[in-house]
Each structure stands twice: as C-alpha cells, then as structure tokens.
C-alpha cells in the first residue's frame, strides 16, 4: 500500500486539495492501485499547494501545484514510486525552502497525520508532557523562563514570567486561554499549526495547566477558520480517547480538559482582555489594565493567555531542554520564529528560522523578490499595526529589539511585501481606516482619532493645506500612541508614521500635481 499525502490545510483546500484527493482515490481504484491517502498539514510552500507527497524508499517525493487534470498523467508517470513528472519537486525535505529552515515549532507540521495520536507519538509527541510530569510545576516554569521564549502574539512578553505570575497566585480555579484569533493581515502560522499539528497545542496547554495549577483550558478561535475548527475539535476528542486529556492524564493524577470557542469576527477580540470578555459571552471591549489577566482573568480568575505559537512551542522546549532553544537566536530574541511571508512575492508561505536573519534576506532571497518582478518598495512587518519598512533598512535583523529601535515591530511574524506601484499615502489611510472600523470604542484617542486621521489624510490627498495637515497628522499620531488604552489605538500610528517618515514624497504628490 503506497502512502500519499494531500494537505487538509485551508490554503491547499482553497486551491483544490479536496477535489484532488477525491480524484487521486478514484484514479487509483480505477487502476487497481492500493493507496492510502493521508490528509496532512501544509509544509508551508504555499505556491506549491496543493502539494501531493508520495512515500518512497528515497523519502517523500513531492508534486505540486497539482490539479485534478494532472492526476492521470501523474499515475502514467509512475508517481507512486517517485517517477519523473513536470510537477515533481523531488524529495520534499531536500527542497531548498525546507533545507534552509530550522523547524522547531513546525517540525511535525506537514509531516504527520494531524489526527493520529500514534503518528504524533511516533514523532516525539507527548515527550514534553512526560518530562513535565517528571520535573514538576516549579521546574517547568523555570525551564520555560530559561528558554527565553517570548509571546508570539505580538507583544513579545516573556512566557515564563507570565506562567510564574499565575502559578504564584493562591490555589483555586485558574484558566489556560489560547489566543487563536490570528487577525493580523498576512499571518497564518496559528492556523497552520492547528491544522497540521493540533496535538502540539493541546500538549502545550496541558503542560501549562499542570505548571500553573489549572484544570481547564479554552481556545478562542477566529470564525474565519472553519477547517481549524473541524480539525482541532477532532484532535481534542482523539487526545481524550488516548488519555492525553481528561482525568488522570497519562496516569499522572492530573486532570485537564480543553474547550474550543469560536469568535464572531472582531480584530480587537485578539487583544487579550477583549478576548476574555468575548469568552465570557459579552461584547468584546478592552478592559483597563491593571489588573492583569494573570491576576484577574477569565471569570475573574488568574489566567494565562498565550498565543497559539507560544503554547505549541512549549512541548518541544520541555523535550529538548531550555538550553537547546535559548542557544538559538540573537540578543533577547531567543529561539526560532515561524515567518509568514505574503503579499507580492514569488515564494510565499511559512518559513521557520532562528531570530536574527536580515529582513532583506527574507524578502529577496527566501521569498524571491516580487511576483510582479518590479522593485520592492516596502514591507509591512507585524500585521496591520506594523510599520512599513523600506528597502534601505533591509539589513535589519529579525529581532524584537532591533525592530523596536527603528519604530517597527515584528508582531506575530507576518510580512506583507509591496512593489513600487504602491501608494504609501493610501496605505497610511488604510491603517487609520482599519483602526476606525475595528476600534472597540472604549477610549477617545482611538475611537475619534482614527476617524479624524482618515479625514486628515483625505485632505492631504486632495492637496488641501498639505504641510499643515501633515503636521496635524503627526500630532494626532502622537496623541493616539500615548493616549490610547490598548495597542490597537496605540500602534495604529506605526504604519502611518513609517509611511510619512520613509516615503514623504507620496504625501506631497497631490500638491505637486496641483502645482504642475
Ligand atoms: C488589537 C490587538 C489584537 C491582537 N490580536 C492578537 C491575536 O490575534 N493573537 C494573539 O495571539 N495576540 C493578539 N494580540 C496580543 C494579545 O493581547 C496578547 O498579548 C497575547 O495573546 C498574549 O499571548 P503571548 O504572550 O503568547 O503573545 C492582540 C493585541 C491587540 C492590541
Ligand atoms: S485603543 Fe481602541 S480598541 Fe483599544 S481600548 Fe481604546 S478604543 Fe478600544
């Protein structure tokens, strides 16, 4: 029986993976070929999706992007034994995109059957949990702290410190909450890991629960991820059946369970306190801090809120040891970062690498430059609240502090690339408009400021008192940055200010045109 892998990943499905899987099964039956089709996660080479992989003695050979119309010719070419075909990319692990990575969080993604506990365990699954039970709560927190892991949701807060804060709260009801709202433009790593290796997130949550003394975990998932919802719910049930969730997990005496909750489609519900409100069944409005969720979180109880990637990385840290992880990266940015490369690029997808890689290497080398073949003008790093970084800063290492020093952020690791046809005034307007639409409305600088920002940019576009309005816009950005209650209003100025700083000519075009 030949094993064939066809991703169930949403990006692959959007490109026809479900139809492809059905066509391969039908063709195999018609030819009397014995095949087992495994629906795996994506390897992250999104330009090759749907990527079919066939298990051969030489390794898994890939063919992509494959369409239903290619199925007959793939069989004719003997793809079941790795035969040559125009779509062949050779052994997947040998592909330059794969070989250059340091897959740590994503080591199993695309490799295993996401819903097979046996496959998960055959690829070192539950080893982190096993070690966690051996070393005990305090040592787990210490290990996570020593690894240098920082929150991958955007703020980069040290995960170990957060866990210790909750662990140190008086015993009683506590919660583990996973933020799977993944609202940033150009980001998809949470989705990919939850579709491709959901048990790693469940294992991470269980380790966290054990470390802080919580018996219940919630995953707050954005409604736009229906495949994740299906896969993750199934993974919860598989984990329960295998004794990896529920009562007396793996014979440890520890009880822990996980519940999946679906959001209703608000960007601000990714902000942790707004998320907690939404989880409690209320409207997603930001809470003032303090108190921190670590002290007064879900239903008023001490709560760890972590991003999917932060939580899913923990089992590997426990398994390999804190030092292994801490030895990777630069400065205070330790370990690896799953980069999500999107926008106008030749090769987009997920690329996990140690911190410190220069931005220019990611864009020009790994992503292959723009798909249009035109020069790159800017890269928005870190989602809709991230700065537009110009080519002149391409030697910037991918590192929290290096980006912060340039008034930028790395956020959740999303990069959206634009070529030289992009109008940065328009992108600045988009930033303000996004904030106006998504603002929860609790504080004035964000609620009113973002609308005034759109209006002011429109005046600049129309050539109305351009210099005066640019000054006004800068002043407004300052007010929003320092007067907003949360980072939605506080960071919305980043794209605007960076556009103003690096591309001033785009703000004066209308005035120039009027003068001509
Ligand atoms: C407007 C806004 C949206 C956010 N969206 C997300 C999100 O989609 N996913 C996420 O993990 N964190 C998001 N965050 C950050 C969370 O508030 C929080 O810092 C994070 O979930 C903590 O987990 P971490 O320490 O593992 O990063 C957002 C923050 C703000 C201000
Ligand atoms: S900054 Fe915006 S999103 Fe955040 S609390 Fe204020 S109004 Fe709400």
């Amino acid at each position: 029986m030949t094993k064939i892998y066809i991703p169930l990943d949403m990006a692959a499905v959007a490109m026809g993976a479900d139809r492809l899987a059905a066509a391969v099964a039908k063709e195999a039956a018609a030819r009397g070929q014995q095949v087992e089709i495994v629906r795996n996660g994506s390897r992250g080479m999104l330009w090759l999706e749907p990527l079919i992989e066939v298990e051969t003695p030489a390794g898994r050979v890939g063919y992509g992007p494959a369409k239903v119309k290619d199925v007959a010719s793939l069989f004719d070419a003997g793809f079941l034994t790795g035969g040559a075909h125009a779509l062949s990319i050779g052994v997947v692990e040998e592909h330059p995109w794969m070989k250059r990575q340091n897959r740590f969080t994503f080591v199993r993604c695309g490799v295993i059957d996401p819903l097979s506990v046996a496959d998960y365990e055959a690829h070192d699954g539950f080893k982190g949990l096993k070690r966690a039970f051996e070393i005990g709560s305090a040592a787990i927190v210490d290990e996570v702290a020593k690894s240098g892991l920082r929150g991958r949701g955007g703020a980069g807060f040290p995960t170990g410190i957060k866990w210790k804060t909750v662990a140190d709260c008086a015993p009683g009801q506590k919660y583990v909450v996973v933020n799977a709202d993944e609202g940033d433009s150009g980001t998809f790593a949470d989705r990919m890991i939850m579709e491709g290796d959901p048990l790693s997130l469940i294992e991470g949550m269980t380790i966290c629960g054990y470390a802080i003394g919580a018996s219940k975990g919630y995953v707050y998932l954005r409604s736009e991820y229906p495949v994740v919802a299906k896969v993750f719910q199934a993974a919860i049930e598989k984990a329960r059946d295998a004794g990896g969730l529920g009562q007396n997990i793996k014979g440890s005496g520890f009880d822990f369970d996980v519940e999946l909750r679906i959001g209703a489609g608000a960007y601000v519900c990714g902000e942790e306190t707004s998320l907690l409100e939404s989880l409690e069944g209320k409207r997603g409005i930001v809470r003032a801090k303090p108190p921190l969720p670590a002290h007064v979180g879900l239903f008023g109880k001490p709560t760890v809120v972590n991003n999917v990637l932060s939580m899913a990385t923990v089992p590997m840290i426990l398994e390999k040891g804190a030092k292994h992880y801490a030895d990777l990266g630069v400065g205070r940015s330790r370990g690896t970062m799953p980069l999500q490369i999107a926008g106008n690029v030749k090769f987009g997808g997920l690329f996990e690498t140690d911190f410190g890689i220069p931005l220019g290497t990611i864009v020009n080398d790994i992503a292959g430059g723009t798909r249009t073949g035109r020069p790159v003008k800017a890269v928005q790093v870190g989602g809709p609240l991230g700065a537009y970084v110009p080519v002149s800063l391409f030697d910037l290492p991918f590192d929290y502090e290096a980006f912060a020093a340039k008034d930028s952020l790395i956020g959740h690791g999303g990069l959206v690339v634009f070529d030289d046809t992009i109008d940065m005034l328009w992108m600045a307007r988009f930033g303000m408009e996004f904030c106006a639409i998504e603002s929860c409305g609790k504080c004035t600088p964000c609620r009113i400021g973002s609308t005034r920002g759109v209006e002011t940019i429109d005046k600049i576009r129309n050539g109305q008192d351009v210099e005066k309005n640019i000054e006004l816009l800068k002043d407004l950005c300052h007010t929003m940055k320092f007067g907003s209650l949360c980072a939605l209003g506080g960071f919305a100025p980043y794209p605007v200010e960076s556009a103003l700083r690096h591309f001033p000519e785009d703000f004066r075009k209308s005035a120039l045109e009027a003068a001509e």
Side-chain angles (χ1 to χ4, degrees), residues 268 286 438-443 446-447 484-486 488-490:
V268 76
V286 173
E438 299 294 342
S439 167
C440 85
K442 183 153 179 165
C443 68
C446 169
R447 185 185 67 247
S484 295
L485 184 59
C486 86
L488 178 44

Side-chain angles (χ1 to χ4, degrees), residues 8 38 116 127 131 140 180 194 222 226 320 322 404 427 472:
L8 52 65
V38 176
S116 164
K127 279 194 180 163
R131 180 157 176 252
I140 298 170
M194 289 181 77
R222 73 193 321 240
K320 302 258 182 217
M427 298 314 289
L472 192 62

Side-chain angles (χ1 to χ4, degrees), residues 300-373:
K301 303 296 179 191
T303 303
V304 162
V305 183
N306 268 139
N307 172 251
V308 171
L309 298 182
S310 323
M311 203 61 97
T313 303
V314 166
M316 286 295 286
I317 289 175
L318 264 286
E319 185 208 325
K320 302 258 182 217
K323 186 175 180 310
H324 177 99
Y325 199 69
D327 280 349
L328 310 171
V330 287
R332 288 180 49 223
S333 304
R334 309 313 313 174
T336 61
M337 186 71 197
L339 304 171
Q340 299 127 81
I341 306 171
N344 189 345
V345 286
K346 279 203 187 80
F347 309 115
L350 187 124
F351 190 96
E352 184 171 357
T353 185
D354 301 359
F355 278 102
I357 185 170
L359 181 59
T361 307
I362 302 169
V363 176
N364 293 326
D365 195 0
I366 294 163
T370 64
R371 193 179 59 246
T372 50

Side-chain angles (χ1 to χ4, degrees), residues 235-275:
I236 290 174
E237 279 147 33
K238 296 266 179 189
R240 278 189 199 133
D241 291 347
L245 272 183
Q247 299 211 318
N248 190 20
I249 292 174
K250 303 268 174 210
S252 63
F254 174 61
D255 304 338
F256 186 76
D257 216 335
V258 170
E259 213 177 289
L260 178 67
R261 293 289 177 90
I262 315 285
Y267 180 74
V268 76
C269 283
E271 193 283 333
E272 58 185 4
T273 62
S274 177
L275 181 155

